[in-house]
Each structure stands twice: as C-alpha cells, then as structure tokens.
C-alpha cells in the first residue's frame, strides 16, 4: 500500500481527497493536516510514502515552506504539490523546495492517482501542460542561440553539483556532502553556468528538470 498524508487548509478538500484515494490503486490515506506545521508533525509521526501538499494555507505555515523543512528532516519522503496555481513561479519554487511533483487540483482523478504512484516510486511528476510549456520555452531559447551548452560537456563532479544545486542544497551543504571546500563548489557552479549558458538559479533548475535530474531519490 502507498501511505498518503493529505495537507490542505480546507476540510472539504481533505475529505474529498480521502474519499477519492482510499482503497484506489493500493493507496491508503493515513492522515490529514490543516497547515504546513501540522503536516510536518503528522509526517514525522505517521511516516507516509507520499504527502499531498497544498501551497496556500494562509492560517498556518504555507506548503512550500513545509516542503522545504520536511525534505531536510525526511529526505526520502515524496511530496506531491496539489494546487490551483498553474504558474511557472510556483512550479519552480516547489521544485527548489524539494517537491517530487506538481499537479493541479483541476486535474482528472486518474491523473492524480498516476502522479501519486509515480512519486511513490521515486520519480518526478509534472502535469502535462507544464512539461509542454517548459519544452517550448527550451526550444525557443535554442532557436535564439541560448542554452547551447550540452550536458555532456560537464565533468562528473559538475553534473553532481548541478543536480544538488537544483534540488535546493546550499553551497555549504554541498561542500559538506561532497567533502570539498565551499570555494570549490562555487567554482564548479560558475563553470556549470558558463558551459550551459545559464544566468540564474531558476534557469539552472529548469535545465535540471529537463534532464531528469530531479527524481529526489
């Protein structure tokens, strides 16, 4: 069974999701929470496989902050953002926070079930129109000579650092994880940005997503 925790500030939404998911495709809803802080406490206690996380929860901790904190405490936990926001900024903030996937509340029920199964297996999931939009943007930039660098031009260490930066790790955290200096991390990061023609961190995250580096295993 895939154990799911539902975090949303609307009781009606939580009830509806629980009715929809329980018993479907080997899914069991093991708990619910009304804001991010409650969600963190419930996740630590219940040890779910997947957390369905809303973004906007104005009466408590928001979903992106909760996602970031949960991934620090439970790195292997799959967090699927379930939101009404069809917006690139929210999408990449969610990826940066460590989310395994992003799906709209307007999505068909079968798509939600598929997304849960996908992230539970350790894979990343983006709703179809988001994937198409990212690809169109990427192809448009290629047409104008941007992002002409190739992944193959990166060294093994640069690829490793690219993935870690895109997943939201700080330079200090990367340095500690790879047992190298912060200055070395910064040098590798600079080389990656230059080779791939990237200028900002969001562009780096987009590139990593297209390369399939954000599976958060």
């Amino acid at each position: 069974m895939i154990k799911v925790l539902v975090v949303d500030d609307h009781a009606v939404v939580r009830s509806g999701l629980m009715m929809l998911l329980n018993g479907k495709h080997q899914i069991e809803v093991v708990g619910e929470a009304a804001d991010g802080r409650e969600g963190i406490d419930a996740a630590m206690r219940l040890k779910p496989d997947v957390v369905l996380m809303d973004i906007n929860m104005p009466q408590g901790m928001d979903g992106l902050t909760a996602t970031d904190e949960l991934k620090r405490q439970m790195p292997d936990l799959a967090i699927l953002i379930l939101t009404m926001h069809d917006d690139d900024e929210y999408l990449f903030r969610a990826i940066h926070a460590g989310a395994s996937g992003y799906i709209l509340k307007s999505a068909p029920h079968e798509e939600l079930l598929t997304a849960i199964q996908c992230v539970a297996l350790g894979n990343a999931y983006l709703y179809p129109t988001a994937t198409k939009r990212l690809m169109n943007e990427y192809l448009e930039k290629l047409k104008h000579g941007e992002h002409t660098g190739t992944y193959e031009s990166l060294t093994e260490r640069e690829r490793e650092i690219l993935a870690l930066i895109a997943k939201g790790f700080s330079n200090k955290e990367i340095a500690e994880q790879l047992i190298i200096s912060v200055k070395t991390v910064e040098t590798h990061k600079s080389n990656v940005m230059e080779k791939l023609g990237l200028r900002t961190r969001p562009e780096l995250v987009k590139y990593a997503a297209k390369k399939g580096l954000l599976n958060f295993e």
Side-chain angles (χ1 to χ4, degrees), residues 78-146:
I79 301 176
L80 177 61
I81 300 295
L82 178 63
T83 178
M84 67 178 68
H85 295 292
D86 184 5
D87 183 279
D88 285 352
E89 179 182 353
Y90 279 110
L91 170 63
F92 289 108
R93 285 176 61 193
I95 292 173
H96 184 266
S100 302
Y102 193 101
I103 187 171
L104 300 179
K105 288 184 176 179
S106 59
H109 294 167
E110 289 301 319
E111 184 180 337
L112 175 58
L113 294 169
T114 297
I116 291 172
Q117 292 174 313
C118 182
V119 299
L121 291 172
N123 299 315
Y125 183 89
L126 295 179
Y127 61 100
T129 54
T131 304
K132 182 178 181 180
R133 194 159 62 239
L134 290 179
M135 290 304 299
N136 287 340
E137 180 180 344
Y138 177 68
L139 292 173
E140 187 66 23
K141 287 185 176 181
L142 281 180
K143 187 187 302 182
H144 291 87
E146 299 181 45

Side-chain angles (χ1 to χ4, degrees), residues 23-36:
K24 301 284 183 66
H25 297 265
Q26 299 296 306
I27 293 173
E28 177 190 7
V29 178
V30 295
E32 59 178 303
D35 64 46

Side-chain angles (χ1 to χ4, degrees), residues 11-21:
V12 172
V13 173
R14 296 197 305 273
S15 297
L17 287 169
M18 292 171 71
M19 291 178 61
L20 168 67
L21 298 175

Side-chain angles (χ1 to χ4, degrees), residues 198-216:
L198 305 174
R199 296 183 297 275
T200 65
R201 192 183 190 102
E203 287 183 351
L204 186 149
V205 174
K206 288 183 182 182
Y207 182 88
K210 291 165 191 156
K211 297 300 294 185
L213 303 178
L214 301 181
N215 57 10
F216 301 98

Side-chain angles (χ1 to χ4, degrees), residues 12-197:
V12 172
V13 173
R14 296 197 305 273
S15 297
L17 287 169
M18 292 171 71
M19 291 178 61
L20 168 67
L21 298 175
N22 260 329
K24 301 284 183 66
H25 297 265
Q26 299 296 306
I27 293 173
E28 177 190 7
V29 178
V30 295
E32 59 178 303
D35 64 46
R37 174 52 60 190
E38 287 185 16
I40 291 172
D41 293 341
M44 298 292 289
R45 183 178 71 256
L46 299 171
K47 302 294 190 295
D49 301 304
V50 177
V51 174
L52 275 184
M53 182 79 74
D54 188 20
I55 289 181
N56 287 344
M57 292 178 280
Q59 300 306 315
M61 180 186 288
D62 68 88
L64 295 180
T65 302
T67 295
D68 182 69
E69 186 168 332
L70 263 178
K71 290 301 292 187
R72 294 180 189 279
Q73 297 188 45
M74 304 175 68
D76 296 331
L77 178 64
I79 301 176
L80 177 61
I81 300 295
L82 178 63
T83 178
M84 67 178 68
H85 295 292
D86 184 5
D87 183 279
D88 285 352
E89 179 182 353
Y90 279 110
L91 170 63
F92 289 108
R93 285 176 61 193
I95 292 173
H96 184 266
S100 302
Y102 193 101
I103 187 171
L104 300 179
K105 288 184 176 179
S106 59
H109 294 167
E110 289 301 319
E111 184 180 337
L112 175 58
L113 294 169
T114 297
I116 291 172
Q117 292 174 313
C118 182
V119 299
L121 291 172
N123 299 315
Y125 183 89
L126 295 179
Y127 61 100
T129 54
T131 304
K132 182 178 181 180
R133 194 159 62 239
L134 290 179
M135 290 304 299
N136 287 340
E137 180 180 344
Y138 177 68
L139 292 173
E140 187 66 23
K141 287 185 176 181
L142 281 180
K143 187 187 302 182
H144 291 87
E146 299 181 45
H147 295 296
T148 54
T150 64
Y151 184 70
E152 288 70 26
S153 69
L154 303 180
T155 66
E156 182 176 349
R157 177 65 85 189
E158 287 169 348
R159 295 179 188 183
E160 196 172 15
I161 288 176
L162 165 63
L164 291 171
I165 292 173
K167 290 177 181 178
F169 290 96
S170 68
N171 290 347
K172 182 179 179 182
E173 290 171 330
I174 294 171
E176 292 174 351
Q177 185 169 330
L178 301 181
I179 316 178
I180 57 179
S181 69
V182 173
K183 185 175 181 180
T184 299
V185 173
E186 292 172 348
T187 299
H188 283 307
K189 177 183 176 182
S190 177
N191 290 340
V192 168
M193 302 288 274
E194 182 177 353
K195 286 182 179 181
L196 299 179

